[in-house]
Amino acid sequence: MRNIHTLFIALSSSLLMVSAASHAQALLNRPMLQEGKTTLYQRVLTTPTCKLFAKPGDQTGASQEAFSRFYVYQRQQNAGKNFVEVGPDTTGKKIGWLDAACTVEWKMQMSLAFTNPANRNLSLFFKDRVSIEKILDSTDPALTYAPILERMSKTGRDPLVVAREPELFVDFRKNFYLLPILKAEEVMSDGGFNVRLLEVASVSRQEPNANPAVSPQVVQSSIKAFTAGVVFVIDSTLSMDPYIERTRSVIKNIYARMEKEKLDDKVKFGLVAFRSALSAVPAIEYNTRLYADPTKVKNGADFFEKIKDLKATKISTPKFDEDPYAGVKEALEKINWNEFGGRYIVLITDAGALDSKDPLSTTGLDAQAVRELAKEKGVALYVLHLKTPAGAKNHQPAQRQYETLSFNSIANRPLYYPVNAGQVNVFGDTIATLGESLVSQIKQASVGEPVAGSALNAASPPPPTPAATPAPSTPSAAIARDAALIGHAMQLAYLGSVTGTKAPPFFKAWISDRDLVKQNIPTTEVRVLLTKAQLSDMSAAVKEIVEAANSSLVSPTAMFERLRSVAATMGRDPNQLRQGRTENLSKLVLGEYLEGLPYKSDVLGLDEEAWKSMSVAAQTQFIIRLNTKLRQYQSFNEDASSWVSLAKGSDPSESVYPVPLASLP
């Protein structure tokens, strides 16, 4: 009895302590902290059954918009039920109580976005993690997965599956939906791929009277409205005149065909020219110039009038490498791509690109960062690389740059097409094939014909995996193959935005971030939802890391000493910092909101000994990568249209930006 009595007293004391701590937290007018954290607050998401009560135990309350995020200020029990006092933000604005049973705890403020479903199987949401692991562990995943896919195709049901991804692509940028990650684990598949298994709760926001079921008739009418914008970003430096003229000639032929078939209102062409930095050679006239904006081009005659003055400069630029990233960035940022369902940039150059660290680079971006900008705009980026004899020493590094720049997750390959020896005739055939392929797709769409693999043919067998696709023998054959695939993906994205396709309704389930059969193809992208303050903190921390790393190139022992000082100035308790040499950057500078995320990072695991063991070249590359990310953070901060409020009435500072996981330090 004494033991029981002691236990009762201990439990009572614990409950009193929890209650006192909860009450003290409420008095501080700040949300409750997550267990073991010093800066991360407790958050919950509402489900469709949630009502907001004035106090715990009330019988009537106001229904809440499903899947809103609230901060938890206090927890309390009443009549055997657990209640949470909530507010829309962290400013102390408490609006009432929710029954905890109708909420979902959200510890990691992360969400998934579907990739375009072209060239892959639709994602399935499984009841448990084990079902996915069995498929990944099998020697033939396709054979294990086939019966599930067949049942889903025929009946829309399978005992292992809760739901499936919408057949039409949901554009995350235009139609924000929440697919929060509740748990994350990384496993190695039998095929040798690192696959993330994610427990999620689908929380898409349905518009009033929205009907997620889309009829073939609606799809057909939407396809007919499909238009495309094709922008050529062309090198106009010395030696490029023959290619400029051939490009002009090809576009003339395409316009003639479009006018003959009455398609001239379906495709609009644009053109941006680029050279190098004016600071080095002012006489080259410009770094970039937008000659023709496709949203403002009336017809073929208007287009050629706008580009009539385009010609190659007669003045040499400082280096063989030029500034194509500036040209691509100009096309991405100065053109309103929202007017087009199909979005294409065709980069034409005979030189490599100025690297991000080059003082003549006007963007400070590398190939991967520019590719991410294009991806965010939904633009497919093709590169026609003229391998002229004059640039023989430049061919290999330039090819590596452009393969990175043009890698497309839909095609699962770079949209890179070299023209060996820079032969003008081969170049002409290649660019003509690209133009004809794009126009052919528009012609099919204009009469309502679905292309192979569209949502109308969802039950058709999937296309062969990239490994099984024979390598095309010519650049023209390769570009025709890839243009058809990318064009279809663009049409899916457009149809999704027109018909109002939504993510599935609320549920908890497990999903793989890769196609379970073609495991080299991602099905989702992880986005970390950061507030203005968090993005600002992260940007400041990365900037301090860069500055410390730069100083460390001179004095290797100085970096971590400076970072410890930075950690203290950013509000962390310097007494809690270990003074040993193994303190990593995660603990020193980057806040708790980056801890526990399902990815590997160069920064988060870097400690003093590892840094000192790196070569100067490796340290320099490390700094270059962080500088590129800093520029991305600035771009995110300025992208006003992409900031999202997750709760009505929340302070504007609590709006979040869906930062791609790859953009984290």
Side-chain angles (χ1 to χ4, degrees):
M1 285 295 293
R2 177 176 295 181
N3 289 340
I4 295 176
H5 181 67
T6 302
L7 179 60
F8 176 76
I9 292 174
L11 288 173
S12 299
S13 300
S14 298
L15 289 172
L16 286 171
M17 290 172 64
V18 169
S19 178
S22 177
H23 182 65
Q25 188 71 43
L27 291 176
L28 289 173
N29 228 23
R30 281 286 182 264
M32 298 177 69
L33 291 168
Q34 293 183 22
E35 185 178 357
K37 303 296 183 182
T38 60
T39 58
L40 282 185
Y41 297 121
Q42 294 184 25
R43 298 176 294 251
V44 294
L45 294 167
T46 58
T47 68
T49 61
C50 273
K51 291 185 178 182
L52 187 69
F53 302 105
K55 60 181 184 298
D58 280 359
Q59 298 302 307
T60 58
S63 295
Q64 294 300 292
E65 183 179 348
F67 317 128
S68 294
R69 178 215 58 196
F70 289 109
Y71 287 90
V72 177
Y73 280 83
Q74 195 175 174
R75 294 180 179 271
Q76 193 175 112
Q77 274 198 344
N78 185 281
K81 291 184 177 181
N82 294 313
F83 288 86
V84 289
E85 186 180 28
V86 297
D89 51 42
T90 62
T91 63
K93 188 194 304 179
K94 292 168 278 190
I95 60 173
W97 295 79
L98 297 171
D99 185 340
C102 78
T103 65
V104 178
E105 298 282 346
W106 196 20
K107 293 183 179 180
M108 298 182 290
Q109 195 159 292
M110 295 191 304
S111 183
L112 289 184
F114 290 117
T115 62
N116 198 301
N119 196 37
R120 66 168 175 82
N121 294 298
L122 291 177
S123 293
L124 299 183
F125 294 81
F126 289 85
K127 291 181 179 178
D128 53 52
R129 186 192 64 195
V130 176
S131 299
I132 305 178
E133 288 183 317
K134 285 181 179 177
I135 297 169
L136 292 173
D137 290 342
S138 62
T139 54
D140 189 348
L143 190 63
T144 308
Y145 202 29
I148 300 174
L149 291 175
E150 185 177 0
R151 284 190 290 272
M152 291 299 297
S153 175
K154 288 181 177 179
T155 67
R157 296 179 181 179
D158 184 272
L160 301 176
V161 177
V162 176
R164 65 176 170 181
E165 175 189 359
E167 292 181 346
L168 298 182
F169 178 55
V170 184
D171 192 330
F172 188 79
R173 294 175 299 275
K174 291 183 179 179
N175 183 22
F176 177 80
Y177 58 88
L178 211 51
L179 199 61
I181 299 172
L182 307 179
K183 294 180 183 177
E185 298 180 19
E186 190 169 276
V187 299
M188 177 73 74
S189 73
D190 195 65
F193 291 92
N194 287 319
V195 181
R196 293 190 190 103
L197 303 184
L198 305 165
E199 186 186 32
V200 298
S202 176
V203 286
S204 69
R205 295 179 182 269
Q206 300 288 345
E207 297 297 329
N209 303 318
N211 180 9
V214 181
S215 69
Q217 290 77 18
V218 172
V219 172
Q220 276 194 322
S221 65
S222 299
I223 291 177
K224 289 181 182 180
F226 181 79
T227 59
V230 183
V231 177
F232 293 93
V233 176
I234 192 164
D235 186 340
S236 62
T237 55
L238 197 67
S239 79
M240 283 296 293
D241 264 336
Y243 306 103
I244 292 172
E245 287 310 307
R246 181 54 71 97
T247 301
R248 205 188 309 256
S249 173
V250 166
I251 297 174
K252 244 177 212 180
N253 292 336
I254 293 172
Y255 259 120
R257 176 187 163 185
M258 290 196 306
E259 288 172 359
K260 181 179 178 181
E261 299 185 12
K262 301 189 184 331
L263 291 172
D264 49 320
D265 63 334
K266 298 291 183 183
V267 185
K268 299 295 182 184
F269 288 97
L271 191 143
V272 172
F274 68 88
R275 290 172 179 171
S276 190
L278 281 174
S279 58
V281 186
I284 62 175
E285 298 180 9
Y286 59 81
N287 175 242
T288 65
R289 179 173 291 173
L290 176 58
Y291 277 89
D293 183 335
T295 66
K296 299 175 181 177
V297 169
K298 299 173 185 174
N299 50 39
D302 186 35
F303 174 81
F304 291 109
E305 175 64 23
K306 291 180 186 301
I307 69 166
K308 67 180 181 181
D309 296 329
L310 172 64
K311 59 183 181 297
T313 180
K314 304 302 180 188
I315 300 171
S316 295
T317 48
K319 298 182 178 182
F320 192 83
D321 284 343
E322 307 295 356
D323 205 4
Y325 298 158
V328 174
K329 188 170 183 282
E330 176 91 355
L332 289 171
E333 294 182 347
K334 294 294 177 65
I335 292 168
N336 180 14
W337 291 96
N338 290 333
E339 293 194 17
F340 303 107
R343 305 169 185 181
Y344 309 91
I345 285 179
V346 182
L347 172 62
I348 301 170
T349 183
D350 65 348
L354 293 169
D355 197 56
S356 60
K357 66 179 181 295
D358 194 297
L360 295 181
S361 169
T362 61
T363 66
L365 301 175
D366 60 12
Q368 184 172 343
V370 178
R371 184 183 74 202
E372 287 299 317
L373 290 178
K375 186 177 178 182
E376 287 298 305
K377 296 280 186 182
V379 174
L381 227 170
Y382 294 80
V383 177
L384 272 61
H385 180 197
L386 312 170
K387 290 188 170 181
T388 59
K393 294 181 180 179
N394 183 255
H395 290 168
Q396 283 305 110
Q399 178 170 338
R400 286 193 295 270
Q401 288 177 315
Y402 294 139
E403 285 180 340
T404 298
L405 177 69
S406 66
F407 184 85
N408 188 280
S409 58
I410 304 304
N412 200 39
R413 63 174 66 87
L415 303 179
Y416 168 81
Y417 309 99
V419 179
N420 291 325
Q423 297 173 355
V424 176
N425 288 338
V426 175
F427 166 74
D429 291 343
T430 303
I431 194 171
T433 300
L434 171 60
E436 291 290 317
S437 296
L438 298 179
V439 172
S440 176
Q441 292 169 55
I442 303 304
K443 181 182 178 182
Q444 284 182 282
S446 70
V447 295
E449 292 182 10
V451 295
S454 76
L456 295 176
N457 299 325
S460 302
T465 62
T469 305
S473 56
T474 66
S476 293
I479 214 163
R481 171 205 62 194
D482 292 341
L485 177 60
I486 301 304
H488 169 57
M490 291 295 181
Q491 288 188 27
L492 283 178
Y494 179 80
L495 290 175
S497 66
V498 167
T499 58
T501 304
K502 304 293 182 181
F506 175 78
F507 56 83
K508 286 186 185 181
W510 286 84
I511 190 172
S512 163
D513 74 336
R514 291 183 173 273
D515 190 312
L516 292 176
V517 177
K518 295 180 280 186
Q519 295 170 7
N520 59 325
I521 300 179
T523 57
T524 62
E525 297 174 340
V526 176
R527 302 294 182 110
V528 182
L529 305 180
L530 297 183
T531 65
K532 290 262 185 185
Q534 289 173 330
L535 183 62
S536 176
D537 281 353
M538 187 169 72
S539 183
V542 172
K543 185 177 180 181
E544 293 287 356
I545 290 173
V546 169
E547 291 177 358
N550 275 321
S551 69
S552 180
L553 292 177
V554 179
S555 174
T557 59
M559 178 179 175
F560 281 79
E561 291 176 7
R562 178 166 182 181
L563 287 177
R564 290 188 179 95
S565 173
V566 169
T569 62
M570 290 183 69
R572 291 161 181 78
D573 182 357
N575 294 324
Q576 298 300 316
L577 299 176
R578 295 183 301 173
Q579 297 303 313
R581 298 192 173 211
T582 58
E583 186 67 78
N584 63 41
L585 297 186
S586 172
K587 294 184 182 298
L588 282 175
V589 178
L590 297 169
E592 291 177 320
Y593 50 83
L594 292 186
E595 292 181 0
L597 298 188
Y599 84 118
K600 293 180 175 65
S601 161
D602 290 341
V603 170
L604 295 188
L606 186 64
D607 59 37
E608 186 172 354
E609 292 302 324
W611 174 256
K612 290 172 65 176
S613 69
M614 292 168 64
S615 67
V616 173
Q619 290 178 349
T620 302
Q621 286 301 314
F622 176 87
I623 296 170
I624 290 170
R625 288 196 299 274
L626 289 187
N627 270 319
T628 297
K629 291 181 189 294
L630 276 175
R631 294 185 182 92
Q632 286 182 314
Y633 302 155
Q634 182 178 354
S635 174
F636 296 158
N637 187 57
E638 295 170 353
D639 184 9
S641 63
S642 296
W643 286 88
V644 180
S645 174
L646 297 179
K648 282 184 178 179
S650 62
D651 190 88
S653 65
E654 290 294 332
S655 291
V656 296
Y657 190 93
V659 177
L661 194 61
S663 296
L664 295 182

